[in-house]
Amino acid sequence: MSEALINPKILSWARERAGMTGEELAKKLNIKDTNKIVEWEEGSKKPTFIQAQKLADKLHIPFGYLYLEEVPEEELPIPDLRTVRDAKTHQLSPDIFELIDGIRFKQDWYRDYLVEQGVKPLKFAGKYNVDTDYRSIAKDITKVLDLTLEHRKQVSNWEDFLKLLMDKSEEAGIWVMRSGIVGNNTHRPLDVLEFRGLVIYDNITPVVFLNGKDAKAAQIFTLIHELAHIWIGESGISDLSLGTSVEHLHNRIEKLCNKVAAEALVPEEFFRSYWQDINSIDSLARFFRVSPVVIARRAYELKLVGWQEYIDFYRSQQELWKKLAERQKKNPGGQPKYTIPIRYGKHFTNAILISALNGKVMLRDAGRLLGLSPSKLFNLAKDIGVA
């Protein structure tokens, strides 16, 4: 069988980029002799053409990369605003690059579709800048979303509040996607430690992506944080954590967006009053329809509790999130009529299905955009009321 004359240096780079050891890569390739990986990376031996194709697939790189003379320079198309805790955290995995490429591909299609439909630029997109007072931005976000304390009474808990926020964002023209995997691949879960959310700014099709592997309590804060990015016209990828102290945020954009999120979710004027009267995290969480952590975080930021008291509470809540995540793992599936509109956004999903049914988009392309086989598109359209 013919050998593939790949560049050993590229193979080593791709394996390290994917965060795999030689043993882990060999296991994925069903190779019992792990020395083969070492030999291929040293150049003393070459893989077969079929083995090289499998290498590219498992390492999530284009097959042609293995034949490059030099390691390619990969540039993130949007700013990396993550908090750098250590060198490993700052290293981006192939999942991030592939995820963003997939979102931008969809965004290009969706923008053309909306322009064709006569949609105009959103008035609030890029309305402010990083020097704007956070309270002004928070006030405008709540106005655009029509988010009042009375509206919160329409939902029974903070999980439903997240759904309400996503729906209101979409109605305002903001495209919201939420998923815990890369594309439609359930074998490639996203890492919460790498990022929690991102936003790709556009004045017609701004898109917010929430890491579905994160706790829903944290996703509420992330969503409003990313909306603030849209209001100041800034793209970015974030790993903002409610467990990070204010002092560790050095990026002006992230600091501002955090303040906006806190003010929009739990307005200071109301919070101080209710804190004085109630002074109960659980009661306030039920009142504002956010998680107890968001309430505790607000109390810390307003200097009503100290950092140690807050972080101890945060860690206790983390344990509860872990238990909930374990329960959810036992029942990870879901019907497409529920999962697809959440994964790719309700309005985008509807636009694809309508275009496919009208013959403006080939079924093959529509399936690709929604991560479904073409044969399942009509049933999905029927289930969600498009057909």
Side-chain angles (χ1 to χ4, degrees):
M1 193 172 291
S2 61
E3 293 182 335
L5 303 179
I6 66 170
N7 184 342
K9 182 167 63 175
I10 299 296
L11 176 56
S12 296
W13 163 79
R15 177 183 57 75
E16 292 172 0
R17 172 180 175 271
M20 294 185 201
T21 64
E23 290 77 9
E24 289 170 337
L25 179 56
K27 185 177 181 180
K28 285 183 175 291
L29 295 170
N30 294 319
I31 295 176
K32 293 181 180 180
D33 184 5
T34 57
N35 286 328
K36 280 187 178 294
I37 305 298
V38 176
E39 293 170 344
W40 292 345
E41 291 190 10
E42 290 177 344
S44 58
K45 288 187 179 180
K46 298 288 185 182
T48 65
F49 189 78
I50 293 177
Q51 287 173 329
Q53 287 181 313
K54 291 181 179 179
L55 280 169
D57 178 60
K58 299 302 180 184
L59 295 173
H60 309 299
I61 60 171
F63 178 61
Y65 270 31
L66 291 172
Y67 293 88
L68 295 175
E69 292 185 5
E70 298 295 335
V71 171
E73 291 187 13
E74 292 186 299
E75 292 186 8
L76 194 67
I78 61 176
D80 182 1
L81 304 176
R82 299 174 305 154
T83 302
V84 181
R85 299 188 186 92
D86 51 48
K88 183 176 181 181
T89 301
H90 196 56
Q91 195 70 32
L92 291 164
S93 73
D95 294 339
I96 296 293
F97 287 96
E98 191 168 327
L99 176 69
I100 294 176
D101 283 345
I103 294 174
R104 293 178 76 200
F105 174 76
K106 293 176 177 62
Q107 189 179 34
D108 287 342
W109 182 91
Y110 196 30
R111 193 181 203 281
D112 290 341
Y113 172 86
L114 291 179
V115 169
E116 187 178 318
Q117 300 297 312
V119 174
K120 304 298 182 183
L122 299 169
K123 293 181 179 180
F124 56 79
K127 182 178 180 179
Y128 302 104
N129 59 53
V130 72
D131 294 316
T132 305
D133 182 78
Y134 71 92
R135 285 163 291 204
S136 297
I137 302 175
K139 183 177 180 180
D140 202 47
I141 289 176
T142 55
K143 179 181 178 181
V144 170
L145 297 188
D146 187 24
L147 184 64
T148 67
L149 293 181
E150 287 299 316
H151 284 101
R152 297 171 196 240
K153 296 178 182 179
Q154 298 174 4
V155 296
S156 58
N157 53 51
W158 49 264
E159 291 189 45
D160 289 338
F161 185 47
L162 173 60
K163 294 177 183 177
L164 176 68
L165 288 175
M166 292 174 66
D167 288 342
K168 284 183 171 291
S169 296
E170 290 247 350
E171 290 302 319
I174 300 160
W175 182 13
V176 182
M177 303 171 67
R178 176 161 62 99
S179 180
I181 58 178
V182 180
N184 207 40
N185 191 339
T186 56
H187 298 291
R188 294 183 65 185
L190 296 170
D191 187 357
V192 175
L193 295 179
E194 185 168 32
F195 88 109
R196 284 182 158 80
L198 62 85
V199 58
I200 303 179
Y201 174 76
D202 184 84
N203 63 0
I204 292 180
T205 54
V207 56
V208 169
F209 183 92
L210 302 177
N211 188 339
K213 288 297 182 184
D214 203 1
K216 287 186 176 65
Q219 289 178 39
I220 291 174
F221 192 85
T222 300
L223 174 56
I224 304 300
H225 174 101
E226 304 302 359
L227 292 186
H229 271 264
I230 294 171
W231 258 253
I232 63 173
E234 296 284 351
S235 300
I237 179 170
S238 309
D239 75 337
L240 59 100
S241 169
L242 293 172
T244 303
S245 67
V246 177
E247 291 74 16
H248 284 94
L249 285 175
H250 304 296
N251 186 284
R252 289 182 67 205
I253 293 175
E254 294 298 85
K255 275 187 176 181
L256 173 65
C257 292
N258 269 11
K259 287 183 177 180
V260 171
E263 178 65 19
L265 288 171
V266 187
E268 180 178 351
E269 177 185 359
F270 293 106
F271 181 74
R272 286 189 180 278
S273 174
Y274 285 109
W275 178 268
Q276 185 175 3
D277 294 339
I278 301 175
N279 197 14
S280 165
I281 288 178
D282 288 335
S283 296
L284 287 169
R286 287 192 294 271
F287 177 79
F288 285 101
R289 296 298 193 265
V290 296
S291 77
V293 165
V294 172
I295 294 297
R297 177 77 183 199
R298 194 65 167 134
Y300 156 66
E301 290 177 345
L302 295 177
K303 303 186 185 307
L304 298 173
V305 299
W307 171 253
Q308 193 58 52
E309 183 180 354
Y310 165 71
I311 199 62
D312 288 344
F313 179 79
Y314 172 78
R315 287 168 180 160
S316 69
Q317 291 294 300
Q318 271 189 313
E319 292 302 314
L320 296 178
W321 295 346
K322 288 178 182 178
K323 292 178 181 177
L324 178 61
E326 288 299 320
R327 289 200 298 269
Q328 291 175 337
K329 281 182 181 179
K330 297 177 182 178
N331 193 16
Q335 298 180 48
K337 65 179 179 180
Y338 300 123
T339 60
I340 296 298
I342 292 176
R343 185 176 297 167
Y344 298 112
K346 291 182 179 179
H347 290 183
F348 174 77
T349 300
N350 289 349
I352 292 292
L353 292 173
I354 291 172
S355 297
L357 293 175
N358 291 339
K360 293 184 177 180
V361 173
M362 295 180 64
L363 293 179
R364 177 193 62 196
D365 295 334
R368 180 185 177 192
L369 285 164
L370 291 179
L372 284 175
S373 64
S375 62
K376 295 181 179 180
L377 292 173
F378 182 77
N379 286 338
L380 175 61
K382 187 177 179 180
D383 287 339
I384 66 176
V386 172

